[in-house]
Amino acid sequence: MSNDKVGAVLVVGGGISGMQSSLDLADAGFKVYLIDKLPSIGGVMSQLDKTFPTNDCAMCIMAPKLVGTGRHHNIEVISNTEIESIEGEAGNFNVNLVRRPRRINEEKCTGCGVCGAKCPVEAIDEYNWGLTRRGATFIRYPQSVPLKFMIDKEKCIGCGICQEECKAEAVEYDQEEQKFDLNVGSIVLSPGYSMFDPSLKTEYGYGRYKNVVSSMEFERFLSATGPFAGTVMRPSDGDIPEKVAFLQCVGSRDSQAGSEYCSSVCCMFAMKEAIIAQEHSEGLKSHIFFMDLRAFGKEFDDYYTRAQEEHKIKFTRCRVAEVREVPETNNLIIKYVEDGEVKEEEFNMVVLSTGFRPPENVKEFAETLGIDLNKYDFCSTGVFSPLETSREGVYVSGVFNGPKDIPDTVAQASGAAAKASSIISSERGKMITPKEYPPERDVLGEDPRIGVFICHCGINIGGVVNVPDVVEYAKTLPNVEHAEHNLYTCSEDTQKGIKEKIVEHNLNRVIVASCTPRTHEPLFRSTTKEGGLNPYLFEMANIRDQCSWVHMHDADNATKKAKDLVRMAVAKSRLLEPLYKLELNVFQSGLVIGGGLSGMTAALEMAKQGFEVHLVEREKELGGNLRNIYHVLSEKGEDPQKMLKEIIEKVKNDDKIKLHLETTVKSIEGFMGSFTTELSDDTKIEHGVVIVATGGQEYKPTEYLYREDSRVLTQMDLEGKLAKDEIKPNSVVMIQCVGSRIEERPYCSRICCADAIKNALKIKEKNPDAQIIVLYKDIRSYGFREDYYREAADKGVRFIRYDDENKPEVTKEGDDLVVSINDPILGEHIKIKPEYVVLSAATLPQPDNEELAKMLKIPLSKDKFFLEAHMKLRPVDFATEGVFLCGLAHSPKFIDESISQACGAVSRACTILSDEIMELEPTISEIIDENCDGCAYCIDPCPFNALTLIEYMRNGNVKKTVERNEAACKGCGVCMATCPKRGVMVKGFTLDQISAMIGAALEVV
Amino acid sequence: MEEGAAEGVTQEEEFEPLILAICCNWCSYTGADLAGTSRLQYPHNIRIIRVMCSGMVHPNLVIDALSKGADGVLMCGCHPGDCHYLEGNLKAEKRADALFLMLEDLGIEPERYRLEWVSASEGQRFAELMKDFTDTIKSLGPSPYKMY
Ligand code: FES
């Protein structure tokens, strides 16, 4: 590895994966270049309507990450860009890139959108999968980051209208392709995926029948920003369908289509679409046709149950043979085989759940980067190295290394960030340049002197609102010293102007009346700061989104309303106070609880990042469940026991890792940045973060004669016996879902299907003639594991389905073990006398999770695993800041998934550990001690446990009051709204400030 | 009868209510922005006040607004489960019950206060809500506390 390492990382692909990697890296002190070949970041998630299993709105939960990435001072978003070649090695790469011309100057474009609205061209809108049209001058979607338009050269007719219309003079038709290079220490690949083209499955009629659509298209139908504004309509006639069929595994698990793997997410995706469609159109009925229902993720089976019971969605287990159109009605007839019988059913619309494919041009991409692909052209990785490509210093995350859902992607993205930064951890903080600001003027005690800057936004505001009139009006308002209008208040030159005006008029408050604070407040705050004022002395009025754009045909009222909004902003502005970011000291070390694979991985990674870490394990030995794993399903044939030994060696030899064996945690006090923990041996340690990696355990069955007959084993027992050559079975019956997917434990244990297949193949390897029967409910060998399912079937392993009404029975006849089951295909009751019965037992949460949960003030899920902050986008964070989660403690998962999560938890933790001092937003609550009488009404409602009741001596009396923990408070203001005595205020949104706005709104003008 | 009703409508049309919409930053205000970027037209009678979460709005603020002459107050938060601060919106929902009791004491029609969920992608819904609420308030007529 080169000695001159570079503290910068190149992230390729700006979907949710690339954004998460970038944010983690940037927050941990590394410079990030985020490139995307599209004109804006956001990836596929920006096109989703809702997300399972919470049915959260995709855009709502993604937008903060989108905006955060766009405005992060350590992240440079470079759109329209691809890699041409790479030189160098891990730690120091030189990457040559090429940037397609946008034909609109990014510096000048304000994103106002006049060009797009005026463009006479109608081109296919890829964002809506071709279901709508856009101009040749366009933006991918309204919340695009960067919010810059682009001219589509292919479609542009060169009419010149956009150039004429653009008041910012941003149109540059003659922009050329640009080549440039970047020097980075490591690279994270998250180029995403493409979708299977369903027209290749001609039997389903996609492309021929209008009312057969793909699941991605249907997602846009459901979206409020989609082609039909969220109403589900048939493409053929705009009718609202009554019956919609969803066909699963289109282009997945299909050797004809060349993709034998399972796309992992389509079952959940289809259920979500089916539920949301029913929500959007009353009376709509969804029907899902599937082979195995693969709801293997955390709380996914609950979703499945709700889909059936609450939403009454119909499920039929089959493979659909054919879809045929009824020409008169454009309805569709689905032909399928169920229980050996050919059936037909008519629907108004059919949705094809199309599978994932590798990204387009993946072979060239891999060649350019010098990385290996697997046999399906996804990125090749190993079970114990899920984030590493074949090239050192190049890491991977997201669907590019295998189909996966958003939470798994986000955990991986964080994990890849940890990997990418650990090899350059010595360079932390070296490539980032803090912005310099002039000293802040002390305005305390001054009367407010307000400057109001009102934006025309080209013609976006000025075309409707009489801006000069609003300026004149603003001048009449109390404390307004200066008011002016600008063509674009956000343009470079106006920024300069604002700074000058602050000095010239000795202003101490700034107001901009223009667009939305959601996108522009950070910019103007920074301008205010550059003008020598505290950035929180800034306020905004949104006269574009709330006046000119929504009252386009009513100039008078739009102008009147703009005046009102300015008056309201002035009223609040008068009460603004300078606020200062809070600084928190950070103990730059970590505590990892649990010494299994996840915990050891977390400890090692944290040490690689340069931080000291305490690893606490209650057993005598490290290794956890990995101690019982002897082989894995993998092309590379990794040996788990060898890996385990190596990892333990590394942990023991790392002098940054303090190992505490046969030790438990007695108590944990404190909060993010500064925890104090007491261990069972009375050691006290101080640390800034906690990673919970306490693992899980295999269920010891009470059913099927386990414990009564030594020939009844669990998969883990069997694996051990096979590895040690203790047995060589001739006949085995495996029973799946023992203790899982039952009433008291409704969740799926995720790993048992593949484990059964793995052990079946192992038996076959030793004894090809062995008779193996697997009794299952659904085979959930998702992703590339599907290959092994097929292999097992090819090698003669028999898979027989059972359902809850016909569970298998295990009895004894004389000395024989007897398994009886109904064979649904043969339709008869069969009896088998195997040598061994092997139970795929559930993975259980640790029984003492509750204790630790109380200690750390973190919640458990209803299945008693730990519950993360957000199922979708914060899979390894807890709502309690500074505490993270990984491995089986989160939910059952495979080795590679545990490793990804462990690395992900470290990455998140490093965003806190990276600096001795952490800055926090000042807009949090503040106790007004003289008003607070200690009634404590606010304490319980606080969702972040940030408030405590305390007592202190004041003038010889005991005074009760509330103390706010600044590290925990997020400024939601529930306390403020609960307090009957005005004893607590959220800074920046105090009762007086809100009330002043209300008062101003009600003033008679 | 028909004519009478028609007359009533004309009269009501002359009344332009003043309505406050208090929107949480994360979903509802974003929804309002989307209504803007999508150029959805809605009545001009609404003045939006941005707060961080619907859960931070003290009931007194609402009472204040309504007793000082606002013709209606519409509170918008994230859909249940989407609140950026976990359950601020549910707190707002609970407070709404108490608010209605206070409104009754003041002799203010309960229809003048409404709590609604608007997500960041529901620009359309936001615009429709604004229309609907404005219509409701128009049909109620001016607030009994209106000072002008
Ligand atoms: S953040 Fe929207 S209601 Fe709490």
Side-chain angles (χ1 to χ4, degrees), chain B residues 24 26-27 52-55 77-78 83-85 88-89:
Chain B
C24 87
W26 302 97
C27 287
M52 292 316 280
C53 174
S54 63
C78 310
C83 172
H84 193 73
Y85 308 99
N89 48 1

Side-chain angles (χ1 to χ4, degrees), chain A residues 56 224 516 518 549 552 979, chain B residues 33 41 46-47 58 82 121:
Chain A
D56 269 327
T516 173
R518 286 179 36 258
W549 275 354
M552 294 179 92
C979 180
Chain B
D33 280 350
Q41 306 299 300
I46 315 277
R47 305 288 177 268
H58 201 293
D82 287 359
S121 61

Side-chain angles (χ1 to χ4, degrees), chain A residues 417-444:
Chain A
K419 286 282 175 190
S421 53
S422 71
I423 62 164
I424 49 170
S425 64
S426 57
E427 307 305 298
R428 189 189 304 280
K430 292 200 185 150
M431 289 269 297
I432 53 174
T433 38
K435 225 174 152 184
E436 296 280 335
Y437 291 99
E440 221 172 270
R441 189 158 72 78
D442 182 8
V443 302
L444 231 67

Side-chain angles (χ1 to χ4, degrees), chain A residues 972 974, chain B residues 23-29 51-56 76-80 82-90 92 115-118:
Chain A
C972 73
V974 163
Chain B
C23 296
C24 87
N25 180 62
W26 302 97
C27 287
S28 313
Y29 194 89
V51 294
M52 292 316 280
C53 174
S54 63
M56 75 161 36
C76 302
C78 310
H79 284 268
D82 287 359
C83 172
H84 193 73
Y85 308 99
L86 310 176
E87 10 194 79
N89 48 1
L90 304 184
L115 175 64
E116 293 278 358
W117 311 136
V118 178

Side-chain angles (χ1 to χ4, degrees), chain A residues 70-88:
Chain A
R71 71 162 73 130
H72 203 294
H73 63 285
N74 293 347
I75 303 176
E76 201 173 310
V77 176
I78 313 175
S79 50
N80 291 321
T81 298
E82 286 177 84
I83 300 178
E84 266 202 333
S85 64
I86 295 183
E87 293 134 34

Side-chain angles (χ1 to χ4, degrees), chain A residues 948-965:
Chain A
T948 13
L949 184 64
I950 55 161
E951 288 177 357
Y952 69 98
M953 295 303 288
R954 191 175 66 178
N955 308 331
N957 295 317
V958 176
K959 164 81 169 73
K960 279 189 184 170
T961 193
V962 168
E963 197 172 58
R964 179 265 289 122
N965 174 349

Side-chain angles (χ1 to χ4, degrees), chain A residues 883-943:
Chain A
V883 189
F884 306 92
L885 169 67
C886 61
L888 299 189
H890 167 276
S891 67
K893 57 181 59 68
F894 289 100
I895 291 176
D896 51 334
E897 294 167 336
S898 291
I899 293 177
S900 294
Q901 264 201 345
C903 295
V906 171
S907 178
R908 303 291 306 134
C910 286
T911 62
I912 296 173
L913 297 181
S914 62
D915 208 339
E916 294 162 7
I917 287 176
M918 211 167 86
E919 279 199 338
L920 300 175
E921 269 303 308
T923 44
I924 59 172
S925 68
E926 183 180 39
I927 310 295
I928 316 291
D929 189 32
E930 63 262 35
N931 293 351
C932 175
D933 65 0
C935 74
Y937 283 174
C938 57
I939 293 187
D940 268 352
C942 173

Side-chain angles (χ1 to χ4, degrees), chain A residues 1-3 87-94 184-186 391-393:
Chain A
M1 206 180 278
S2 153
N3 281 330
E87 293 134 34
E89 54 190 16
N92 192 337
F93 288 108
N94 194 48
V184 296
S186 54
R391 181 168 186 172
E392 210 190 325

